[in-house]
Amino acid sequence: MSTVKTETEVHSLLKALYQGHIEESLIFPFPEIPADTKETVAAFSDAYRDFDAANIDSEKIDHDHFFPREVVKGLGDLGAFGMTIPEEYGGSGFSAAAYCKMMEVIGPLDASASIVIGGHQSIGLKPLLLFGTAEQKKKWLPDLATGRLVAAFALTEPEAGSDAASLKATAVYDPTTNEYVLNGTKQWISNGGFASFFSVFARVPSAAKESDQHKEICCFAVVTKEDGTLPGLIRGPEEKKLGLCGSSTCQIIFENCRVPASHMIGEKGHGFKVAVETLNTGRTSLGAGAVGGSKMMIALATQHATQRKQFKTRIADFEMIRHKIARMTAKTYALESMVYLTAGLIDRGITDYSLEGACCKVFGTELLWSNINEALQIAGGNGFMNEYPYGRALRDSRINMIFEGTNEILRLYMVLAGMKDLGDQLKEVQTALKSPLAQRGVLTEYAHKRIKGVLTHDKLERVHPVLAPEADQVGHYAGVFANAVDTLLRKHGKKIVDREYQHERIADVLIDLFAQIATLSRVTSSIAKKGEEAAAGEIEIARWFCFHAKHRMVGNLKALEKNRDRETSAIADRVYEAGGYPYDLWA
Ligand SMILES: Cc1cc2nc3c(=O)[nH]c(=O)nc-3n(C[C@H](O)[C@H](O)[C@H](O)COP(=O)(O)OP(=O)(O)OC[C@H]3O[C@@H](n4cnc5c(N)ncnc54)[C@H](O)[C@@H]3O)c2cc1C
């Protein structure tokens, strides 16, 4: 009798998809927001809106490139810096869902404020929250909750952006004082101009092999004195940016800056893990900000389209405008479903949600950009005028596709992290095929299916019957996806790491699968709650979204086999060689 292990599947919804497994226990029922959470968040949202109206002049902040320090203090007094900090340390102890909802509210009101708040708790203090000792938490979290300390996350360097593990900042241990001495330059640090608590990543030099050098990286809490200074910590001038003009972004330079050894966060040599896990947890809330921004754009576009007449007709009634509104709305519904399904997983204590968070960030930030663009287009010439909000929204939202992991790097991550387990299990399949009798008793579910031949697809059984065709479609393409990935892995072996044309396609199929799963789960819950008739609008959205997702998935999956990748490389190579466009008609 064989034993089927399903550990990997149960721990990560999307990693399980790589193995052709749909883990319905992580999908259904769609997470319910408890009534008391709704009440708390509604009250805090109202308080935040009032604070924003009275204190945050977004136009002036954008114009002056400065976020007033008394407003930072006011945000602290309001409790905006303690949302994610447990109550025992003086914070509000918000769930992931509650924090996402607040970022949804805060982002569209003033994007610079959302960076002050997000830079502080989505990333700045996260290392301490996730990896700090009880003593470290007791020492700093109460002040971080009130804003007496404001946090920043210092990872990026001039030569180490996407390849963060190549950072050069050093932390050399001085046994005479039991301190580390920091040297190096950190680049584009949000809140850098006024933060008083920095999570700094630096290398403790060792004799490690080059391939193991990420194991030298450590994370340190660098805390300034009351007046914001610290010997050896130098703040560079504020960067002049395209958007988020009020948020503070500057270099932080360390010149023999001494940090007590007790300020190391996480284990020695585990700093890179601290950085990666911090960023993994922060990404879902960036998706939530995109939900808020998208809702605002849909409201603005609707207002304009229903009021503006051309050809004696409301422009809202033209089909091309309807199409834009429907597309913006259905995709925003899908994003909202992805964000709150992911937040629900976090709140259930599921620890591996890194792929789900990456999907929320990539889909959300690209959707927000496109929704602002669509709303601007609906506004016509007005959309181009600075007195309207679209220009600033475009400028402010552009960075979302770059920071907290660029969308290219996150697509890579979605694929390589998903394939990693698969690669390990393929080895298991190969071993099992060599000595079948010895191995088959303890195979993973993936290996079982694989040995049988093709990965048969699981079904989405718990979707409401009215959406059965959509559920079948997702089950079918989840199977096609898993088989396609498996084929690629067998074909390319270790070289798969370099096949980025394929990664992009796989990541986009994964995002579409997740978006459909989240949408179908949410609509199923809506039907259960209010009945089919009252949920008719949401059923239409699910049908619309799944229909269009199918076309994208089919395109991407077909292109894994049949493509013009050779020509793509050749075209790019010729351009690189010429140093630009080589085909000027007039040359
Ligand atoms: C306003 C702002 C605020 C920021 N805040 C912080 C902060 O608080 N803390 C912090 O530590 N950092 C922060 N950053 C830095 C940010 O995280 C980095 O800019 C980001 O990680 C990208 O690094 P890079 O700019 O060096 O781009 P690069 O890594 O040089 O990338 C350039 C381009 O190449 C692409 N690319 C790179 N590698 C690959 C690959 N393997 N495959 C395909 N494409 C690839 C990238 O996607 C990108 O499009 C901030 C940046 C800005 C602009």
Side-chain angles (χ1 to χ4, degrees):
M1 188 68 183
S2 65
T3 317
V4 176
K5 289 192 286 176
T6 56
E7 264 177 34
T8 314
E9 289 89 337
V10 174
H11 286 148
S12 164
L13 166 58
L14 293 187
K15 285 183 184 167
L17 279 188
Y18 275 88
Q19 301 171 20
H21 180 67
I22 300 178
E23 181 52 54
E24 290 205 292
S25 69
L26 297 181
I27 301 169
F28 298 98
F30 192 80
E32 184 81 27
I33 315 268
D36 59 335
T37 304
K38 274 191 183 163
E39 251 173 57
T40 309
V41 170
F44 195 54
S45 301
D46 287 345
Y48 188 87
R49 283 193 191 95
D50 291 346
F51 178 87
D52 176 88
N55 300 287
I56 301 183
D57 181 345
S58 297
E59 231 167 86
K60 185 167 162 41
I61 287 171
D62 186 57
H63 176 267
D64 296 353
H65 285 231
F66 184 71
F67 197 86
R69 300 298 179 250
E70 65 274 14
V71 182
V72 177
K73 184 173 177 316
L75 287 171
D77 296 341
L78 185 69
F81 287 139
M83 288 186 276
T84 58
I85 295 177
E87 283 170 307
E88 60 180 302
Y89 299 110
S92 307
F94 276 7
S95 62
Y99 182 61
C100 280
K101 183 62 195 173
M102 282 313 304
M103 293 317 279
E104 210 191 289
V105 170
I106 292 167
L109 285 173
D110 185 83
S112 291
S114 87
I115 294 299
V116 175
I117 295 167
H120 171 78
Q121 65 203 306
S122 291
I123 51 175
L125 61 78
K126 245 327 158 27
L128 173 62
L129 209 52
L130 294 177
F131 294 94
T133 61
E135 205 177 315
Q136 288 172 330
K137 288 181 184 176
K138 222 165 96 191
K139 185 169 181 185
W140 293 308
L141 283 177
D143 283 343
L144 287 160
T146 59
R148 219 180 69 74
L149 288 175
V150 178
F153 180 81
L155 175 66
T156 304
E157 298 180 359
E159 296 305 321
S162 298
D163 183 10
S166 67
L167 64 84
K168 293 195 171 63
T170 53
V172 176
Y173 184 61
D174 177 352
T176 55
T177 57
N178 195 22
E179 289 171 324
Y180 282 91
V181 184
L182 260 60
N183 278 289
T185 299
K186 295 293 171 180
Q187 170 112 315
W188 299 326
I189 304 309
S190 300
N191 292 349
F194 55 84
S196 36
F197 179 100
F198 294 86
S199 295
V200 180
F201 297 86
R203 197 175 283 289
V204 176
S206 72
K209 288 189 290 187
E210 207 179 322
S211 58
D212 278 347
Q213 280 186 356
H214 67 279
K215 292 183 186 160
E216 293 180 340
I217 298 173
C218 298
C219 176
F220 297 91
V222 178
V223 188
T224 68
K225 294 190 285 185
E226 195 95 0
D227 65 359
T229 66
L230 186 70
L233 184 154
I234 300 141
R235 301 174 203 257
E238 286 293 339
E239 301 286 352
K240 305 248 175 304
K241 305 192 293 284
L242 172 72
L244 298 180
C245 294
S247 78
S248 164
T249 312
C250 64
Q251 282 195 339
I252 301 294
I253 301 143
F254 294 101
E255 282 179 5
N256 295 323
C257 180
R258 291 185 162 267
V259 183
S262 61
H263 285 206
M264 187 183 285
I265 298 185
E267 285 173 49
K268 189 175 170 194
H270 286 220
F272 193 61
K273 178 176 154 72
V274 174
V276 169
E277 300 244 327
T278 295
L279 292 168
N280 281 345
T281 63
R283 286 187 189 118
T284 314
S285 57
L286 259 183
V291 173
S294 293
K295 287 178 183 172
M296 178 182 157
M297 288 300 137
I298 293 167
L300 286 169
T302 307
Q303 233 170 40
H304 185 80
T306 49
Q307 281 162 14
R308 174 76 170 166
K309 281 191 173 175
Q310 288 293 280
F311 306 100
K312 299 199 176 86
T313 310
R314 296 185 324 165
I315 61 166
D317 295 329
F318 297 122
E319 286 191 351
M320 283 196 227
I321 303 295
R322 263 191 221 282
H323 192 190
K324 289 185 199 301
I325 299 283
R327 189 164 51 216
M328 291 165 80
T329 306
K331 289 189 169 184
T332 300
Y333 185 97
L335 173 63
E336 195 179 37
S337 310
M338 292 160 84
V339 166
Y340 289 99
L341 181 58
T342 307
L345 292 175
I346 302 171
D347 290 333
R348 276 172 64 179
I350 302 294
T351 49
D352 189 351
Y353 49 87
S354 59
L355 294 195
E356 292 78 3
C359 285
C360 291
K361 195 269 190 181
V362 171
F363 185 77
T365 56
E366 291 174 7
L367 177 63
L368 178 58
W369 175 253
S370 139
N371 281 345
I372 300 168
N373 190 40
E374 297 268 47
L376 186 157
Q377 186 71 14
I378 290 172
N382 283 333
F384 201 64
M385 301 300 143
N386 271 340
E387 68 204 83
Y388 287 81
Y390 309 101
R392 177 149 50 84
L394 269 183
R395 289 191 287 110
D396 285 344
S397 72
R398 186 59 187 84
I399 186 61
N400 290 333
M401 294 181 275
I402 297 171
F403 63 15
E404 297 204 24
T406 69
N407 287 11
E408 288 81 11
I409 293 297
L410 289 182
R411 282 189 165 87
L412 266 186
Y413 174 74
M414 281 178 214
V415 177
L416 297 180
M419 280 185 173
K420 189 183 168 299
D421 287 342
L422 206 56
D424 292 346
Q425 294 187 38
L426 258 179
K427 278 187 215 139
E428 184 187 9
V429 174
Q430 281 155 0
T431 319
L433 287 173
K434 277 184 206 148
S435 59
L437 288 176
Q439 294 290 329
R440 285 191 185 196
V442 289
L443 287 179
T444 58
E445 185 174 347
Y446 167 77
H448 263 280
K449 288 179 175 178
R450 191 62 263 175
I451 284 167
K452 274 194 227 152
V454 185
L455 293 170
T456 52
H457 65 270
D458 275 356
K459 286 191 168 155
L460 264 180
E461 310 263 7
R462 291 167 66 179
V463 172
H464 189 275
V466 74
L467 290 167
E470 285 72 22
D472 285 349
Q473 172 185 304
V474 172
H476 172 72
Y477 283 101
V480 177
F481 168 82
N483 280 299
V485 171
D486 180 276
T487 307
L488 278 178
L489 205 51
R490 284 162 183 269
K491 181 170 167 195
H492 297 290
K494 281 188 184 156
K495 291 199 178 126
I496 190 67
V497 175
D498 300 322
R499 301 277 88 85
E500 288 199 7
Y501 296 133
Q502 304 292 42
H503 295 161
E504 197 170 16
R505 296 173 182 125
I506 295 166
D508 285 344
V509 176
L510 184 75
I511 293 170
D512 265 328
L513 284 170
F514 183 43
Q516 291 172 93
I517 285 171
T519 300
L520 291 171
S521 165
R522 178 171 166 199
V523 179
T524 297
S525 282
S526 274
I527 300 172
K529 256 188 271 167
K530 18 180 176 166
E532 226 177 289
E533 211 175 291
E538 292 170 86
I539 295 170
E540 281 156 9
I541 282 184
R543 289 190 177 135
W544 188 98
F545 189 83
C546 292
F547 175 85
H548 291 282
K550 178 181 170 183
H551 285 274
R552 287 190 298 271
M553 290 191 302
V554 168
N556 277 315
L557 288 163
K558 276 193 180 159
L560 289 173
E561 294 286 326
K562 207 167 175 186
N563 52 53
R564 286 282 178 265
D565 289 349
R566 202 188 58 74
E567 285 79 1
T568 308
S569 292
I571 292 168
D573 283 344
R574 284 180 206 279
V575 173
Y576 295 156
E577 206 177 310
Y581 182 69
Y583 308 108
D584 191 311
L585 183 67
W586 292 74

